[in-house]
Amino acid sequence: MILHDIETAERSELEALQLGRLQATVERVYKRVPFYREQFDQAGVKPEDVRTLDDVRRLPFTTKSDLRAHYPFGLLAVDTTQCVRLHASSGTSGKPTVVAYTRQDIDHWADIVARAFAIAGGKPGDIVHNAYGYGLFTGGLGIHYGSERLGAVTIPVSGGNTDRQVMIIEDFQPTIICGTPSYVLNIAERMRELGKDPRRTSLKYGIFGAEPWSEEMRRTLEEEFGIKACDIYGLSEVIGPGVAMECHEAQNGLHIAEDHFFVEVINPKTLEPVAEGEEGELVFTSLTKEAFPVIRYRTGDIASVTRERCVCGRTTVRMSRVKGRVDDMIIIRGVNVFPSEIEHHLLRVSELAPHYQLHRLLKGHLEALELHAEVTEYFYNRIGGDLQSGAALELVRRVQSLLKTHCLISIGVRLHPPKTLPRSEGKAVRVIDQRKLEAKQLI
Ligand code: DLL
């Protein structure tokens, strides 16, 4: 089901719409947001210089630190009294980033997320179990409004209280489940603990995102629940969930809602555009937002885009899965690796459960990486619970050599008994930085 004609329009029609909206946005921010006016003036560019879509490149970038520097309302293009909602994204340190919405922004966002549901296979009348957290995080309410806009029966479960999640899935018979992939996997685990089979629920589709996940994690979730799982991407600064959504037909790249967001992919070091299909940092310019427009916002997320036609019939640009954030990239002796790449290989090892953490450590002055992974119940029982047994040590060596071959990194591997690593209720914490802990202990 395609909810809006623009998703299948000729590129020329879409680009004409984008240009008009871009020009209007640039003019608005220049008039209304002193920060943007100063930035444009410094770059020597005026709103009327934006004559083609390529001219976007003349505009300055915006970063998370710009947002922080204007905390909480400094970048709003309307008076706060014209806003009907505020959200915030939790920063790793210090103050969060605040984002604001007018009534029209909320309305557009609901349309965008309703379209995302349809892209993932959703229809009016579906029953949606929404396990994204409700609150300042955009996941819960963003998905909620889109699901209602689609005409689906929306269950605002929020994250956590996993036993209640299991009960609701059994009793309310949802057809779609939304949540972070790591949390929904935990729901499956809990169902099994309670003697229930996740494959026998009413669920047909999963809409998973808000954290990086791999193709193998998709396979695991699809097999666990017997569903089709699609990737949803978004970030609060740009709007929240729905910026891009993977179609259930191809499951090969996420369609960007290009009538609302203009995408670029840049080399994060040179800030120059990369060639189509090449990986780089995603940069978005909002085209319709009133309260909190963003100009060339550097997301920090690494992905590529393609303009190739999709089998679903949509003509919108597709982005690849997000590999991770620029700041999540781990550099071990000159080799770069993202946690999601490690996950990709780990989940192929049948003796390991899909629960892991990566610890960054200092060995002397050199950085080292240690993988903490849980073994499956089956393997644990087979080795009689002895993680020092020959079979366990052989498994450690095999995982090390797999990661050495495919990710080119030498990594320590520690096996853990089943169900001993922490479980997430939202975004999973995959990387623990022991370097900072160690440094603190030294003081
Ligand atoms: O995570 C919005 C969202 C909610 C998206 C629900 C999808 C579903 P923030 O909390 O601002 O917003 O975090 C945004 O999360 O810059 C990415 O690094 C990461 N992220 C979001 N979706 C994906 C995804 C929401 N599908 C940050 N794959 C982004 C990988 C993702 N990373």
Side-chain angles (χ1 to χ4, degrees), residues 96-120:
T97 323
V98 179
V99 294
Y101 305 77
T102 62
R103 193 170 297 286
Q104 181 184 289
D105 292 332
I106 294 288
D107 202 44
H108 282 161
W109 189 16
D111 281 343
I112 291 165
V113 176
R115 272 160 59 179
F117 268 99
I119 295 174

Side-chain angles (χ1 to χ4, degrees), residues 89 132 137-139 143 208-213 231-237 240-241 254 299 301 322 325 427:
S89 84
Y132 285 113
F137 173 52
T138 51
I143 291 289
F208 304 137
E211 64 184 7
W213 54 308
D231 192 1
I232 185 165
Y233 169 79
L235 62 165
S236 354
E237 296 88 335
L254 293 78
T299 62
D301 293 327
V322 170
R325 300 184 52 77
K427 294 183 190 241

Side-chain angles (χ1 to χ4, degrees), residues 96-315:
T97 323
V98 179
V99 294
Y101 305 77
T102 62
R103 193 170 297 286
Q104 181 184 289
D105 292 332
I106 294 288
D107 202 44
H108 282 161
W109 189 16
D111 281 343
I112 291 165
V113 176
R115 272 160 59 179
F117 268 99
I119 295 174
K123 293 174 295 308
D126 266 315
I127 303 180
V128 173
H129 179 111
N130 185 12
Y132 285 113
Y134 281 65
L136 286 176
F137 173 52
T138 51
L141 284 166
I143 291 289
H144 183 105
Y145 273 57
S147 167
E148 285 191 351
R149 177 64 52 89
L150 176 74
V153 184
T154 310
I155 320 172
V157 197
S158 196
N161 199 343
T162 310
D163 284 0
R164 194 182 55 179
Q165 307 262 355
V166 172
M167 180 189 78
I168 287 172
I169 293 173
E170 273 199 310
D171 297 349
F172 294 11
Q173 303 270 300
T175 46
I176 300 182
I177 185 160
C178 305
T180 60
S182 58
Y183 184 52
V184 176
L185 190 65
N186 298 341
I187 298 179
E189 182 180 69
R190 186 67 189 137
M191 287 188 98
R192 289 196 185 280
E193 279 171 9
L194 296 169
K196 300 171 197 292
D197 181 358
R199 291 188 66 85
R200 299 180 69 129
T201 68
S202 48
L203 292 169
K204 293 192 173 62
Y205 290 103
I207 297 184
F208 304 137
E211 64 184 7
W213 54 308
S214 61
E215 211 41 51
E216 280 57 41
M217 183 63 106
R218 186 213 300 276
R219 213 162 301 144
T220 304
L221 282 161
E222 289 193 334
E223 278 168 16
E224 270 293 285
F225 282 101
I227 56 171
K228 197 156 225 192
C230 290
D231 192 1
I232 185 165
Y233 169 79
L235 62 165
S236 354
E237 296 88 335
V238 173
I239 203 157
V243 174
M245 179 75 227
E246 189 178 48
C247 63
H248 69 103
E249 290 94 338
Q251 291 186 302
N252 182 18
L254 293 78
H255 291 273
I256 296 175
E258 281 187 283
D259 45 336
H260 294 278
F261 313 107
F262 182 80
V263 66
E264 297 170 81
V265 188
I266 61 163
N267 176 322
K269 290 209 180 89
T270 63
L271 307 185
E272 289 300 319
V274 301
E276 184 173 326
E278 232 175 75
E279 264 176 12
E281 180 178 354
L282 294 173
V283 171
F284 287 100
T285 299
S286 67
L287 300 175
T288 52
K289 277 169 69 184
E290 288 186 329
F292 190 74
V294 281
I295 303 291
R296 302 193 87 195
Y297 183 69
R298 290 185 58 185
T299 62
D301 293 327
I302 301 293
S304 60
V305 300
T306 173
R307 284 176 173 72
E308 262 174 37
R309 289 266 166 139
C310 182
V311 292
C312 74
R314 290 181 180 81
T315 48

